[in-house]
Amino acid sequence: MSKTVTVPLHAVAHGRAGDKGNRSNISLVPYIADAFPYLHEQVTPARVMEVFRHKGATDVMRYDLPNLPAMNFVIDNALEGGVNSALTQDLHGKTLSFMLLGEIEVTVPTSCIPPGSRYLS
Amino acid sequence: MTVYIGSGAGFAGDRLDAGVAVVETLKDKDGPRYLIFEVMGERTLAIAQRIKMRNPELGYSPYLEPYLRNVLAACKQHDVTIVANLGNANPLGGAKRTHELAKELGIKGLRVAVVLGDDLLGFMGADEVASLPTIEGVNIDGKEIVAANAYLGARPVAEALKLGVDVVLVGRTTDAALVLGPLIHEYGWGTEDWDLLAAGTLAGHLLECGGQVTGGYFCDPGFKDVPGMDDLGFPIGEIEKDGTIVITKAANTGGLVTRATVIEQILYEVHDPSAYLTPDVSLNITEVRLEDDGKDRVRVTGARGAPPPETLKVTVSANGGWLAESEMIYAGPNALARARLAADVVRARVEKHGVTEPIRTDIIGTGAVFDNDASARERAKNMPMDGEYRLRAAIRTPDKATAQYVNDEVLSLFCSGPAGGGGYRCNITGQVNTASVLIDRGPVEAQAHAQEITP
């Protein structure tokens, strides 16, 4: 097994954020399918909740799609009111996928990071 | 037989020329071919409704003409049927404008149909709408309702296509109905063919956002690279009678279709992946499988369907006051401290003036968009004092005068604020608040119908 490293999620996965009212959904997709079990074990709803708590988030649901593979996080009240009432620049929370990717670290074998990634140098 | 469905736009504001390359590819395909335009958001309808109140001829999408102008002649010539929600709050007005455009472009014999019945205010009182149960959004009780439109499904779209027209203009249907409608029409899928309706809905979900499935809104340089984004190819779905979908894109364009681009779009704006609810079917994507099918081709199978709910979702829009935003930039030594002081000055002035609505100040450049209304993270973080920081103030007010006052407070920083502020910009926009409510489907579906509109 390859060496293990601790890196931001951004090294291992990508995602996209969408909104419905004051609820955000963020997909999390490993670049390499073998990383899925590591993400599944380490990126728990509780850890995601910690990232969004200061924005007023109240609950995080995680849905698993091992076939794709991907996970879908649904974060209640993450959008500071959403399009109807938020004062932030990003009313839809479109940028929040990168907040998730930047603010959670995971420990994975280097084989779970795409070859040539800046995170490997 | 294969049905080919391309996308020309995934939102109001999408590239005007994207559909041209899609039609160029579709015209050589052997099978029924369609081009969809999806340009409606929750707020666009309310804005369009207001425009229609001032001028009953208008209220269709302001993008109707620019999008159709680029493709209408080629679509008519090559038998590519257009299905679009360019009708917005006024599909009838949109049909009239489409005929005028055809005349102007010298297109003979263009046939246009509309789908009507989504506008609840056409057959219900505003009071009755306000009493429907809210599932999401603002409390609409007591507010002045501007628009209330139910999400219709794909059946009335299929009904419109049965008329044999070249263009179908709808108002509020589900986005996926623009794709599922043609598939029901071509393949005769029944009302209880749940897995097929699910597959068609999934195809619609993948195509409705245009370039978002072909490398748009995807590229992260050095991590997820996308070639030719200045000429992004828009998607084409190739759908078989058994519900097998291949997602590909217009030929000789930039962008890419990979399993990764498809996965990001599959989960876009989805909550419970085992129950994505539409008026046609409850879609379950948990068993979906993706396979590479050559360059820029991904095969999608395994959508499962179940009966839809007995209710339809309705977007209700009400007037929502004003949003004021204003900005000032600080650069060079001690820039962050000067920007922070400017924020404090504006907050103190607005509070002293007696404005009770909450104000937000951001310092752009500190990760403000990840922060909260109280700038808790920025205050806690040890940020560099050098650099370039942009103060932004934002407030929502019921009246325009207060909105203007807050912007003026930021403007006054020029002579009365910290040293070296510049680059003032401001904006005041009228707001629409929306709520999602549920309504029994029976009475709405009794109103929903398709109709050909002649010149």
Side-chain angles (χ1 to χ4, degrees):
Chain A
M1 199 173 113
S2 60
K3 182 169 128 245
T4 294
V5 288
T6 299
V7 287
L9 261 184
H10 184 243
V12 184
H14 58 98
R16 179 174 291 175
D19 76 305
K20 283 270 190 298
N22 195 15
R23 194 176 285 151
S24 177
N25 94 283
I26 304 178
S27 58
L28 190 66
V29 188
Y31 282 106
I32 293 170
D34 289 347
F36 184 76
Y38 296 93
L39 298 183
H40 191 261
E41 185 194 337
Q42 297 176 46
V43 190
T44 59
R47 284 188 78 191
V48 172
M49 182 67 196
E50 284 319 301
V51 174
F52 293 95
R53 190 184 294 280
H54 70 289
K55 283 189 173 281
T58 51
D59 194 25
V60 176
M61 287 283 290
R62 184 178 82 180
Y63 297 96
D64 300 333
L65 297 111
N67 276 359
L68 295 178
M71 292 189 279
N72 188 35
F73 291 93
V74 176
I75 310 157
D76 283 346
N77 300 307
L79 300 178
E80 301 173 272
V83 201
N84 278 320
S85 53
L87 291 172
T88 172
Q89 296 170 83
D90 178 15
L91 301 177
H92 299 87
K94 305 287 268 190
T95 59
L96 297 181
S97 53
F98 281 89
M99 185 160 150
L100 183 72
L101 296 173
E103 300 194 1
I104 287 185
E105 288 199 324
V106 286
T107 301
V108 296
T110 50
S111 60
C112 289
I113 300 174
S117 169
R118 264 178 266 159
Y119 288 101
L120 290 172
S121 53
Chain B
M1 181 172 92
T2 302
V3 176
Y4 297 87
I5 304 179
S7 161
F11 78 107
D14 217 334
R15 289 182 181 164
L16 294 178
D17 56 359
V20 175
V22 174
V23 175
E24 195 59 32
T25 304
L26 285 176
K27 76 179 170 59
D28 298 326
K29 299 294 181 189
D30 182 21
R33 31 201 193 255
Y34 292 85
L35 180 67
I36 66 163
F37 292 91
E38 197 294 288
V39 299
M40 274 172 70
E42 291 196 334
R43 272 156 191 76
T44 41
L45 239 169
I47 294 161
Q49 195 74 35
R50 276 185 185 157
I51 293 169
K52 187 182 165 189
M53 279 174 200
R54 285 198 295 270
N55 182 349
E57 301 274 299
L58 300 178
Y60 53 85
S61 170
Y63 288 93
L64 182 139
E65 187 178 327
Y67 280 129
L68 292 188
R69 181 178 290 279
N70 282 336
V71 296
L72 197 57
C75 284
K76 175 67 178 160
Q77 186 189 342
H78 299 292
D79 203 14
V80 175
T81 307
I82 295 172
V83 182
N85 58 21
L86 292 162
N88 216 329
N90 188 3
L92 291 168
K96 194 173 164 216
R97 187 70 199 100
T98 304
H99 280 304
E100 287 168 7
L101 183 64
K103 194 174 170 201
E104 185 197 322
L105 297 173
I107 301 167
K108 297 237 181 336
L110 189 83
R111 293 181 60 200
V112 182
V114 296
V115 169
L116 301 172
D118 59 304
D119 182 359
L120 296 192
L121 297 179
F123 57 95
M124 280 174 78
D127 293 353
E128 215 180 328
V129 170
S131 69
L132 295 167
T134 300
I135 52 169
E136 204 169 70
V138 297
N139 183 3
I140 48 169
D141 216 9
K143 291 204 167 121
E144 186 204 338
I145 292 175
V146 186
N149 294 70
Y151 281 82
L152 302 179
R155 295 282 158 194
V157 177
E159 195 191 314
L161 290 166
K162 211 186 251 180
L163 301 170
V165 295
D166 304 297
V167 179
V168 174
L169 297 177
V170 307
R172 183 74 282 172
T173 68
T174 63
D175 298 344
L178 303 178
V179 169
L180 181 57
L183 293 171
I184 289 173
H185 173 64
E186 296 294 344
Y187 290 136
W189 290 345
T191 50
E192 296 191 356
D193 289 338
W194 303 123
D195 288 350
L196 295 172
L197 297 173
T201 300
L202 178 57
H205 180 66
L206 287 169
L207 295 170
E208 78 191 37
C209 290
Q212 276 202 174
V213 74
T214 55
Y217 213 70
F218 177 85
C219 183
D220 185 7
F223 295 92
K224 287 186 288 177
D225 289 305
V226 176
M229 289 190 65
D230 57 330
D231 186 28
L232 191 72
F234 272 40
I236 294 171
E238 303 176 355
I239 302 111
E240 307 296 326
K241 190 168 189 178
D242 68 357
T244 299
I245 305 161
V246 169
I247 298 293
T248 182
K249 68 180 184 70
N252 308 314
T253 57
L256 79 177
V257 180
T258 64
R259 291 160 44 95
T261 68
V262 172
I263 295 173
E264 278 201 20
Q265 186 55 26
I266 278 190
L267 288 172
Y268 180 64
E269 290 186 341
V270 166
H271 288 171
D272 179 354
S274 70
Y276 182 81
L277 303 178
T278 77
D280 301 297
V281 66
S282 170
L283 164 64
N284 177 350
I285 56 172
T286 59
E287 292 173 44
V288 164
R289 290 193 179 275
L290 306 180
E291 294 160 272
D292 293 322
D293 186 49
K295 186 173 162 19
D296 292 323
R297 294 175 63 85
V298 171
R299 185 183 297 113
V300 184
T301 53
R304 295 283 170 262
E310 281 307 308
T311 48
L312 298 179
K313 189 167 108 168
V314 177
T315 300
V316 182
S317 309
N319 285 324
W322 301 87
L323 173 65
E325 296 170 284
S326 49
E327 298 181 8
M328 190 80 107
I329 195 160
Y330 297 85
N334 214 23
L336 179 57
R338 286 180 283 127
R340 272 184 189 159
L341 174 58
D344 292 342
V345 168
V346 170
R347 283 176 171 278
R349 293 276 305 173
V350 168
E351 190 181 330
K352 258 193 280 189
H353 190 79
V355 175
T356 52
E357 287 79 23
I359 182 170
R360 173 169 174 137
T361 50
D362 288 303
I363 299 178
I364 298 171
T366 66
V369 82
F370 293 167
D371 214 332
N372 61 16
D373 282 357
S375 303
R377 290 179 147 203
E378 187 270 308
R379 304 274 157 168
K381 253 193 249 172
N382 199 6
M383 301 286 301
M385 299 299 278
D386 265 13
E388 186 173 54
Y389 297 100
R390 192 160 180 85
L391 165 71
R392 167 181 176 270
I395 194 164
R396 287 176 188 267
T397 61
D399 61 306
K400 198 173 182 180
T402 307
Q404 184 64 52
Y405 159 74
V406 175
N407 279 356
D408 288 345
E409 279 297 351
V410 175
L411 176 61
S412 78
L413 291 169
F414 263 127
C415 284
S416 306
Y424 175 76
R425 299 280 188 282
C426 70
N427 201 17
I428 294 179
T429 42
Q431 298 292 295
V432 173
N433 283 171
T434 59
S436 296
V437 306
L438 296 177
I439 191 167
D440 287 338
R441 57 192 304 158
V444 180
E445 285 175 337
Q447 296 286 334
H449 65 283
Q451 185 183 326
E452 182 170 356
I453 307 299
T454 50

